[in-house]
Amino acid sequence: MAAGRSVDPARWRAMFDQAMARIAGHFGRVEPRASARSYLLGLLSRAERKNCWQLAEQAGLARPGPMQRLLRYARWDADAVREDIRAYAVEHLGADGGVLIVDETGFVKKGRASAGVQRQYTGTAGRIENSQVGVFLAYATSRGGR
């Protein structure tokens, strides 16, 4: 289904800022909070590859250290962030009869350098391979996907 209207960039940014403000308190320090913001903007960007190097470049950083620290060492409450984002989505997108669609997809990988790569079963290959598993979410209503 094609989008019925385009996204207003200023409204999109304002809503992104609202969501970030909602989860900001779950990061104990300002540095991981800023990294999380940059990381999410990078994931939502049109960048083709989305590893820490490319996300750091997207954020204007010379090195991937802040992104890597966010994922490896920073202290933040992932469960509370998830719950706040879920509540935000329900407030802004919720509709009677809405359905959350979950799709788990495996990506075969040759090396072991990407996050989450390990020998595991993936339906993509139909056997145990070095792979990553990605989980994708979509929300659909009688008016279409969102």
Side-chain angles (χ1 to χ4, degrees):
M1 172 180 226
R5 56 194 148 152
S6 63
V7 175
D8 172 20
R11 184 166 184 262
W12 185 93
R13 180 61 75 147
M15 293 187 80
F16 180 82
D17 290 344
Q18 284 177 2
M20 288 305 300
R22 190 169 191 150
I23 66 171
H26 301 304
F27 295 87
R29 297 177 48 92
V30 70
E31 297 89 353
R33 187 179 319 139
S35 293
R37 178 183 183 75
S38 296
Y39 186 82
L40 289 172
L41 284 171
L43 289 178
L44 294 168
S45 76
R46 293 186 178 185
E48 186 174 323
R49 295 183 50 98
K50 297 189 178 171
N51 60 41
C52 283
W53 274 102
Q54 277 77 24
L55 296 179
E57 287 176 1
Q58 180 90 10
L61 303 171
R63 305 190 67 64
M67 302 297 177
Q68 292 170 335
R69 278 190 294 282
L70 172 69
L71 299 176
R72 265 196 191 158
Y73 306 113
R75 293 178 189 235
W76 54 286
D77 189 341
D79 292 334
V81 168
R82 181 196 63 233
E83 289 304 314
D84 278 354
I85 294 299
R86 187 194 77 66
Y88 182 84
V90 167
E91 288 169 20
H92 293 278
L93 300 175
D96 289 339
V99 177
L100 181 64
I101 302 161
V102 181
D103 176 40
E104 178 183 287
T105 302
F107 302 93
V108 176
K109 296 288 188 172
K110 296 296 181 194
R112 300 188 59 85
S114 298
V117 171
Q118 62 184 9
R119 291 194 54 75
Q120 56 192 325
Y121 178 83
T122 176
T124 306
R127 62 185 177 276
I128 295 174
E129 287 282 345
N130 256 15
S131 61
Q132 256 177 342
V133 175
V135 179
F136 302 90
L137 302 175
Y139 182 70
T141 71
S142 60
R143 296 187 325 224
R146 294 185 179 203

